Amino acid sequence: EDKVVQSPLSLVVHEGDTVTLNCSYEVTNFRSLLWYKQEKKAPTFLFMLTSSGIEKKSGRLSSILDKKELFSILNITATQTGDSAVYLCAVDANSGNTPLVFGKGTRLSVIA
Amino acid sequence: EPEVTQTPSHQVTQMGQEVILRCVPISNHLYFYWYRQILGQKVEFLVSFYNNEISEKSEIFDDQFSVERPDGSNFTLKIRSTKLEDSAMYFCASSSYTQYFGPGTRLTVL
């Protein structure tokens, strides 16, 4: 059974801190790994990673994939209260445009 | 920027009633999905739809569920006889490659 495990499940930090969120996976036919940010409702797309070692970056957020060790990390530098959300990791485990397998998410709370 | 839209945002229904959740996917996308998220739990896949037919479905998607694309824009999820355990947030997603999610419909079954 395909599995995605995120850690930690929750995290509380102060504004300005840097955080690293972890995602490991076990899937039969990996195609890509995606990070989403879920605030009140819909998961909003952050990154899609398909190749090992290539960092994707968007502002203070960055992510990288290790296909040998089967994990990805999401880094957020200089955190702000607006970064408070649940961060979801999902894996596309087949041939593209197939159902995503989600982890349980990491709930990040950034306090002023 | 194009986005997936869903209506209603919140639906309250009595157990045993039928509900229809509506989604308008991004216009040039060809793949459509329904997921659900029970409060406090992870997002779970229900069904995917391509070329006017179901391409994949999960164990959750039993005979009480059905999907339809009645016209060129809408994509609907019907639950025939709702149960208490159907209470959840239902997300529609569409993709041409990356899946984009709608804002969700919160279904509450009383």
Side-chain angles (χ1 to χ4, degrees):
Chain A
E1 184 185 330
D2 295 336
K3 193 164 66 170
V4 176
V5 178
Q6 292 186 245
S7 64
L9 290 181
S10 67
L11 191 55
V12 181
V13 300
H14 289 96
E15 268 191 320
D17 288 351
T18 293
V19 297
T20 298
L21 310 183
N22 303 293
C23 176
S24 63
Y25 60 90
E26 291 176 31
V27 299
T28 49
N29 190 15
F30 176 88
R31 178 172 170 85
S32 61
L33 184 145
L34 299 95
W35 285 96
Y36 289 87
K37 178 181 181 182
Q38 186 177 29
E39 296 180 83
K40 292 186 179 164
K41 285 195 172 179
T44 52
F45 173 73
L46 294 175
F47 299 113
M48 175 190 277
L49 303 156
T50 54
S51 302
S52 274
I54 298 174
E55 186 183 53
K56 294 264 180 119
K57 201 167 168 63
S58 176
R60 295 176 293 103
L61 277 67
S62 64
S63 184
I64 198 160
L65 174 68
D66 186 329
K67 287 167 76 172
K68 186 178 173 189
E69 299 297 329
L70 308 183
F71 78 90
S72 173
I73 59 172
L74 176 68
N75 277 321
I76 309 175
T77 58
T79 51
Q80 302 169 357
T81 53
D83 296 327
S84 297
V86 175
Y87 289 84
L88 301 174
C89 175
V91 172
D92 184 343
N94 208 328
S95 57
N97 289 307
T98 51
L100 297 177
V101 179
F102 280 87
K104 289 186 177 180
T106 293
R107 181 174 295 280
L108 175 65
S109 300
V110 182
I111 53 179
Chain B
E1 188 178 322
E3 57 183 21
V4 178
T5 60
Q6 290 184 243
T7 54
S9 58
H10 193 178
Q11 173 98 42
V12 181
T13 190
Q14 295 287 330
M15 193 167 57
Q17 295 295 303
E18 174 184 286
V19 296
I20 297 175
L21 311 182
R22 292 184 168 79
C23 169
V24 179
I26 294 172
S27 62
N28 62 342
H29 286 182
L30 299 177
Y31 298 85
F32 315 117
Y33 312 82
W34 284 100
Y35 292 83
R36 78 171 185 191
Q37 187 176 31
I38 294 170
L39 189 64
Q41 297 187 24
K42 62 181 174 180
V43 177
E44 302 173 290
F45 166 72
L46 292 178
V47 65
S48 59
F49 194 85
Y50 170 72
N51 201 24
N52 285 318
E53 60 183 24
I54 291 173
S55 50
E56 199 164 339
K57 60 183 181 179
S58 72
E59 295 171 351
I60 303 167
F61 194 86
D62 61 23
D63 293 342
Q64 292 299 314
F65 292 88
S66 62
V67 289
E68 202 175 39
R69 190 156 159 82
D71 53 44
S73 59
N74 289 288
F75 178 50
T76 62
L77 174 70
K78 182 193 288 186
I79 310 175
R80 267 181 262 288
S81 177
T82 50
K83 304 188 283 282
L84 294 176
E85 53 265 36
D86 293 328
S87 295
M89 197 75 168
Y90 288 80
F91 293 109
C92 173
S94 71
S95 72
S96 58
Y97 188 63
T98 304
Q99 291 185 33
Y100 291 89
F101 285 76
T105 293
R106 179 169 297 286
L107 176 66
T108 303
V109 182
L110 303 175

